[in-house]
Amino acid sequence: MPPHDDATPARPGPDPRRTARATDSAPSPTSSAQPGGPTVRPTGSAPAPASAQPGIGPRPTARATASATPPPPATATASASASPGESPAAPAPPVPTRRPGYRAVFQVREFRVVFVAHLFSLLGVVVSELALTVLVYDLTRSPLLSSLTFALGFLPYLVGGTLLAGFTDRFPPRRILVVCDLFCAGAVALMVVPATPVAALLVLRCAIAVVSPVFNGTRMATLADILGEGDLFVLGRSLLRIVSQSALLTGYAVGGVLLTVLPPRGALAVTATTFLVSALLLRFGTVRRPARAPASGAAGSGLSGTWAVLRDRRIRALMLMFWAPPLFAVVPEALAAPYADRIGVSTAALGLLMCALPVGTIAGELCAGSFLSAATRSRIVLPLAVTGVLPYLLYAPEPGVPLAAAALFLAGATGAYTLGLDAWFVAAVPEEQRGRAMTLMTAGMMTVQGVGMAGAGLAAEFVPVHAVVAGTGVLGTLCLLAAAAELRAAGGDGTGADGRRPKGETGLTGM
């Protein structure tokens, strides 16, 4: 699946298929009860105690309550029973005694499986994009159709994210992940068939893009089940994003090398295999969990469920803060080739410009995840997000490659705001809507990137490239200030209790 990592309805009553866990008398660092009633989730940088975390097996609706004092040992309370066909609950991830780092995330076996599956799936996406673009060009000799093949990786995200988002909470998450991988493998296998016409190749490309937000949203929601809703989840999300950004640096190089020894259809056959490997890893390496919400749950289905999520002002404001920065951040990348041509530099310099933004993003995420506490990451969300495109003002005097690359690196490094924003988002979304909300969020991020690229190209038809990029720095900052103001007004900026709902708030509270 592609890398490119309010008023809420009241929670439904307990699902009779799930078994409530026994009340945990062991104390925890906070006095707040766990969600499942009208109380808040615990705050802090570490996940909730293991007995109160989402389990690795079937998740009960009524979670354990906790009192104040030091955390108990990291032992999980097993469910009293399990539904037929479901795996029994496995031990919850260990609760770290100090601030967790990336190494602590890899200590969770199930996350390691998801991580490796992500590598294979990501490899399949990147290589298939490149191979299919080359194949379409070889068959048609049309630059327009070749570029359209690549653009189709963005456009259908909006369709899949809005129409199919409800499936992420209505079916067991492992089943969704495996089916999506198998679907992608089948679509790529059809591309390999020599008789497949160009029109069918484009349709198959769209089909893969339609299911991609469902896969990505389900995987993100499942991370909260595997790692809990605290710092381990944030670091796990960060690792997957780092891998995705790294794919921009190495994936196309791997694909290019592969295409030197194999024809495009041969490279596509390899990617079909990578999707199958990802499906097998997820099927046999992860635990089966029940659906988060019944088919007739309060969240609704189809577009009605989507609007139910977006009516929550807090969730809507958080999504806006995820969507707005990428809309403007992609502009210099979209115009890198025209800018390099305008200032008369080599293709090697163009490669440097293309790499600077993802390298800055990786560096920013690694530093924030490794050296900053959860509280610090929460405090820097809005300052970093609002100033994220200010470095683009350095393009105003039409700089050379070193200064332009430095501007892109600085802009990428501000992407560290996403770690704190992830924590706010998972805390704000009710569990039974988590898959749908995360699917919508990822679909929106991909869609706005496509819109930003198209808008940048259109503007560059009438205005010099360097002026478009510098103007983006001004316009983007103003829009991000407005988005940050809305987030504060909606109470989703962590000023209350790290973005969690106030005590007793479970009904409709937004516009």
Side-chain angles (χ1 to χ4, degrees), residues 336-354 401:
Y339 186 73
D341 180 66
R342 180 178 177 87
I343 63 177
V345 296
S346 65
T347 54
L350 171 60
L352 178 61
L353 292 177
M354 294 294 290
V401 172

Side-chain angles (χ1 to χ4, degrees), residues 192-267:
V192 177
V193 178
T196 305
V198 173
L201 292 174
L202 298 180
V203 170
L204 291 169
R205 179 74 179 95
C206 285
I208 293 176
V210 166
V211 303
S212 292
V214 178
F215 181 93
N216 291 333
T218 302
R219 181 178 58 200
M220 194 190 313
T222 303
L223 280 184
D225 298 332
I226 296 172
L227 299 173
E229 299 174 5
D231 218 28
L232 289 182
F233 167 79
V234 171
L235 295 176
R237 280 276 295 139
S238 174
L239 281 171
L240 296 188
R241 275 196 303 267
I242 289 171
V243 171
S244 298
Q245 289 293 331
S246 300
L248 299 177
L249 303 176
T250 61
Y252 292 118
V254 172
V257 171
L258 191 61
L259 286 171
T260 62
V261 296
L262 291 174
R265 293 189 192 274

Side-chain angles (χ1 to χ4, degrees), residues 175-191:
R175 184 189 305 172
I176 295 173
L177 295 174
V178 172
V179 168
C180 285
D181 263 338
L182 292 178
F183 179 87
C184 292
V188 174
L190 290 176
M191 295 177 186

Side-chain angles (χ1 to χ4, degrees), residues 10-406:
R11 297 172 184 259
D15 186 342
R17 298 172 304 167
R18 302 176 185 171
T19 308
R21 289 180 182 169
T23 302
D24 186 1
S25 58
S28 96
T30 64
S31 58
S32 302
Q34 294 298 308
T39 48
V40 298
R41 298 181 178 94
T43 60
S45 62
S51 58
Q53 282 186 352
I56 296 186
R59 295 170 291 98
T61 301
R63 297 185 183 172
T65 56
S67 22
T69 38
T75 56
T77 304
S79 298
S81 61
S83 301
E86 296 174 0
S87 302
V95 177
T97 57
R98 56 184 179 178
R99 185 176 76 237
Y102 289 115
R103 182 179 300 179
V105 181
F106 280 114
Q107 291 174 356
V108 182
R109 185 201 64 82
E110 199 173 0
F111 174 79
R112 296 197 299 269
V113 173
V114 172
F115 183 82
V116 174
H118 178 60
L119 291 178
F120 277 99
S121 184
L122 189 60
L123 178 63
V125 169
V126 173
V127 176
S128 65
E129 284 178 348
L130 181 59
L132 186 60
T133 301
V134 173
L135 176 60
V136 170
Y137 183 76
D138 286 346
L139 294 174
T140 64
R141 293 295 166 184
S142 168
L144 175 61
L145 287 176
S146 180
S147 61
L148 180 62
T149 303
F150 191 82
L152 287 175
F154 290 90
L155 302 180
Y157 255 72
L158 183 61
V159 176
T162 54
L163 297 182
L164 304 180
F167 290 107
T168 57
D169 292 319
R170 292 175 58 190
F171 296 97
R174 186 180 70 179
R175 184 189 305 172
I176 295 173
L177 295 174
V178 172
V179 168
C180 285
D181 263 338
L182 292 178
F183 179 87
C184 292
V188 174
L190 290 176
M191 295 177 186
V192 177
V193 178
T196 305
V198 173
L201 292 174
L202 298 180
V203 170
L204 291 169
R205 179 74 179 95
C206 285
I208 293 176
V210 166
V211 303
S212 292
V214 178
F215 181 93
N216 291 333
T218 302
R219 181 178 58 200
M220 194 190 313
T222 303
L223 280 184
D225 298 332
I226 296 172
L227 299 173
E229 299 174 5
D231 218 28
L232 289 182
F233 167 79
V234 171
L235 295 176
R237 280 276 295 139
S238 174
L239 281 171
L240 296 188
R241 275 196 303 267
I242 289 171
V243 171
S244 298
Q245 289 293 331
S246 300
L248 299 177
L249 303 176
T250 61
Y252 292 118
V254 172
V257 171
L258 191 61
L259 286 171
T260 62
V261 296
L262 291 174
R265 293 189 192 274
L268 286 171
V270 172
T271 65
T273 303
T274 64
F275 283 124
L276 288 175
V277 171
S278 175
L280 290 172
L281 286 169
L282 293 171
R283 172 61 182 82
F284 297 105
T286 61
V287 174
R288 184 189 188 278
R289 296 175 174 85
R292 292 180 181 83
S296 58
S301 60
L303 290 177
S304 64
T306 297
W307 293 124
V309 172
L310 294 178
R311 280 197 301 269
D312 187 319
R313 188 183 181 190
R314 181 183 289 105
I315 298 176
R316 191 171 65 242
L318 285 165
M319 285 189 180
L320 183 62
M321 188 54 69
F322 273 109
W323 295 341
L327 173 65
F328 301 102
V330 298
V331 169
E333 287 187 304
L335 300 177
Y339 186 73
D341 180 66
R342 180 178 177 87
I343 63 177
V345 296
S346 65
T347 54
L350 171 60
L352 178 61
L353 292 177
M354 294 294 290
C355 291
L357 191 67
V359 167
T361 303
I362 294 171
E365 290 239 5
L366 285 174
C367 289
S370 300
F371 304 116
L372 302 183
S373 67
T376 301
R377 293 198 296 263
S378 182
R379 284 194 294 269
I380 65 175
V381 170
L382 294 184
L384 287 184
V386 166
T387 59
V389 294
L390 273 180
Y392 292 173
L393 294 177
L394 294 175
Y395 269 76
E398 198 173 58
V401 172
L403 187 57

Side-chain angles (χ1 to χ4, degrees), residues 372-478:
L372 302 183
S373 67
T376 301
R377 293 198 296 263
S378 182
R379 284 194 294 269
I380 65 175
V381 170
L382 294 184
L384 287 184
V386 166
T387 59
V389 294
L390 273 180
Y392 292 173
L393 294 177
L394 294 175
Y395 269 76
E398 198 173 58
V401 172
L403 187 57
L408 294 173
F409 180 88
L410 289 174
T414 63
Y417 78 91
T418 53
L419 280 81
L421 195 59
D422 277 335
W424 294 355
F425 192 75
V426 76
V429 178
E431 186 177 353
E432 67 274 7
Q433 292 181 331
R434 187 175 291 159
R436 185 193 297 269
M438 291 183 173
T439 298
L440 288 172
M441 187 264 283
T442 56
M445 288 182 67
M446 285 296 291
T447 301
V448 298
Q449 287 181 70
V451 171
M453 290 178 179
L458 179 62
E461 291 289 331
F462 306 99
V463 181
V465 173
H466 71 284
V468 173
V469 179
T472 298
V474 177
L475 178 61
T477 300
L478 293 175

